[in-house]
Amino acid sequence: MGMDVLVIGSGGREHALCWKLAASPLLGNLYCTPGNGGISEEAQCIDMDIADHAAIIDFCQDRKIDLVVVGPEAPLVAGLVDDLQAAGIRAFGPDAAAARLEGSKGFTKDLCARHNIPTGAYGRFTDAAAARAYVAEKGAPIVVKADGLAAGKGVTVAMTEAQAIAAIDDAFGGRFGAAGAEVVVEEFLEGEEASFFVLTDGVNALPLATAQDHKAVGEGDTGPNTGGMGAYSPAPVMTDAMIARTMDEIIRPTIAGMAADGCPFRGVLFAGLMITETGPQLIEYNIRFGDPECQALMVRLKSDLMAALIATMDGVLDRFDLRWDSDAALTVVMAADGYPGAVQKGSAIGGLFDAGLVDGVTIFHAGTREDGMTVRANGGRVLGITALGKTVREAQGRAYDAVDRLEWPEGFCRRDIGWRAIAREDASD
Ligand code: AMP
Ligand code: GLY
């Protein structure tokens, strides 16, 4: 008899997690709430409001769920893991106190300052006048961030002081609601970005894989920021030496600092890094797998994800290891026209079966819903076309072959996902 698991969330990340958990010999029944049109292939989707902790607890008690895996940041910051644990239900992910690493940018910056963790110089502000004065003192380029969760939209990289002032006025004007009642103004860092993931049980840290996201909506990294338009893993900029420095200078001091402060972090810690001329600098922490990075990671993970989640909760990561496919993985996000702005829901997506037949390709759903035999778009980011290949170029070719088999005129994707890694591959040929 295997373990019965409930996954919380409805994105491409949760589809990839369900897909990987479904392959575990330790699994009994798999449920997901609310799920999406693709997750229903792997798990029984349950229609619940994930903000309704009491309903989730009732469901878990009724079905005797052995483990809850929380995918997105909002329920973690809202204390879903605390509430589940208080009800005697095992849950994977940080509690609310540890989730402040993503829930408050100011909290994380102060932690970095106390523990000498490399990150941009900053100020925290609760009124516009003081924030404006800081910008005037430091000059541009400079970065303005809403303190709280803003679905990836709370950051302005201001190339001029006027842009920075406008961003400050926007935040204090209520654009991000309570998340913008405090603002962090931060030094602009130059370099190449990378996403770095570890599992941590509060004491030990097990590095997972590296990845690179593509945040801007347009080719050549132009246009507004999104949740992420594509990713690949591994990220070549994260050499073994850079990973070792990141562990020593950023990850381990964070884990030790959180434990010393009485809020040990257990779960997936995701460091958004800027690899600068002087080494890795922390841009931000996320307290969960990245989306779409998770999709690229899960197809490369050879070991059992469930065993890794259990080892994390049991506090035995010092005696645990994971195996990864040495191939590269690349995910192209298909989004509905208009994303990251307003989108139309309901258009039919054809060609999914054919697209899934391309060698090395797995298709993860995000904003989709099943409507009889038809899959319909139901959100901004809709599909994550994921491919393995010997090189990033090969993975990219396979992913776009699959994209070209889709019949979905109302959708679009970036055509240059992986360009930095491919330029490196070409240079070393
Ligand atoms: P965040 O939501 O904090 O990851 O920020 C979104 C994006 O803004 C990052 O992925 C970076 O591209 C950019 N960004 C954030 N902080 C900085 C910084 N201090 N210097 C340069 N770019 C930044
Ligand atoms: N892809 C970046 C994130 O999940 O925040």
Side-chain angles (χ1 to χ4, degrees), residues 59-402:
F59 175 84
C60 291
Q61 287 172 338
D62 185 50
R63 303 287 172 108
K64 300 193 167 44
I65 297 293
D66 297 297
L67 170 62
V68 178
V69 179
V70 184
E73 62 277 15
L76 293 167
V77 170
L80 178 57
V81 167
D82 311 57
D83 291 344
L84 287 166
Q85 281 169 349
I89 300 158
R90 291 191 95 188
F92 177 87
D95 61 17
R100 286 178 295 173
L101 280 179
E102 181 166 357
S104 167
K105 294 192 187 286
F107 171 85
T108 296
K109 298 297 282 189
D110 287 353
L111 180 94
C112 290
R114 280 202 307 280
H115 298 284
N116 214 12
I117 295 168
T119 187
Y122 71 105
R124 292 179 75 167
F125 302 98
T126 49
D127 76 278
R132 285 158 167 256
Y134 185 82
V135 168
E137 179 198 330
K138 298 287 177 183
I142 196 158
V143 183
V144 178
K145 301 184 172 183
D147 182 74
L149 293 184
K153 293 172 185 126
V155 174
T156 302
V157 179
M159 298 320 285
T160 64
E161 284 185 36
Q163 282 169 356
I165 303 289
I168 288 166
D169 290 345
D170 261 6
F172 288 117
R175 177 155 175 217
F176 307 110
E182 182 173 337
V183 161
V184 170
V185 184
E186 185 183 294
E187 178 189 353
F188 173 77
L189 300 170
E190 264 189 286
E192 184 170 340
E193 280 183 61
S195 302
F196 183 64
F197 299 87
V198 302
L199 276 179
T200 170
D201 55 21
V203 177
N204 310 289
L206 177 67
L208 301 176
T210 62
Q212 198 167 67
D213 190 13
H214 300 64
K215 292 212 173 172
V217 73
E219 275 145 37
D221 297 325
T222 54
N225 265 352
T226 69
M229 292 301 291
Y232 58 88
S233 170
V237 68
M238 291 303 286
T239 57
D240 287 348
M242 202 58 76
I243 290 173
R245 279 191 66 178
T246 303
M247 289 298 291
D248 288 346
E249 296 170 24
I250 298 178
I251 302 292
R252 287 198 191 95
T254 298
I255 291 169
M258 292 293 283
D261 291 346
C263 45
F265 185 95
R266 299 186 189 90
V268 176
L269 186 59
F270 161 6
L273 302 173
M274 188 70 85
I275 308 305
T276 68
E277 274 182 354
T278 58
Q281 299 260 342
L282 183 73
I283 298 178
E284 64 163 359
Y285 273 128
N286 297 305
I287 55 173
R288 49 172 173 86
F289 282 107
D291 188 339
E293 290 97 324
C294 185
Q295 292 85 311
L297 253 50
M298 287 304 121
V299 297
R300 289 189 59 224
L301 179 60
K302 289 181 153 180
S303 308
D304 183 2
L305 175 65
M306 184 100 94
L309 302 184
I310 294 168
T312 305
M313 291 186 302
D314 287 348
V316 296
L317 284 179
D318 53 332
R319 282 168 276 147
F320 197 83
D321 209 357
L322 289 168
R323 287 178 309 116
W324 297 89
D325 199 324
S326 57
D327 281 3
L330 182 137
T331 299
V332 174
V333 169
M334 296 282 305
D337 285 343
Y339 179 74
V343 299
Q344 292 272 342
K345 292 182 178 179
S347 54
I349 303 169
L352 278 163
F353 180 78
D354 258 7
L357 294 179
V358 176
D359 211 20
V361 165
T362 308
I363 298 179
F364 295 116
H365 291 221
T368 70
R369 67 179 168 84
E370 275 184 319
D371 175 15
M373 297 295 284
T374 308
V375 172
R376 292 190 187 278
N378 196 36
R381 292 190 294 172
V382 172
L383 298 169
I385 315 297
T386 303
L388 283 164
K390 290 282 163 234
T391 58
V392 175
R393 181 182 286 286
E394 184 179 52
Q396 189 205 49
R398 290 170 165 182
Y400 286 123
D401 275 354

Side-chain angles (χ1 to χ4, degrees), residues 27-47:
L27 183 74
N29 294 304
L30 183 59
Y31 303 91
C32 182
T33 183
N36 65 38
I39 292 175
S40 52
E41 304 271 306
E42 334 281 351
Q44 199 178 318
C45 292
I46 309 290
D47 191 18

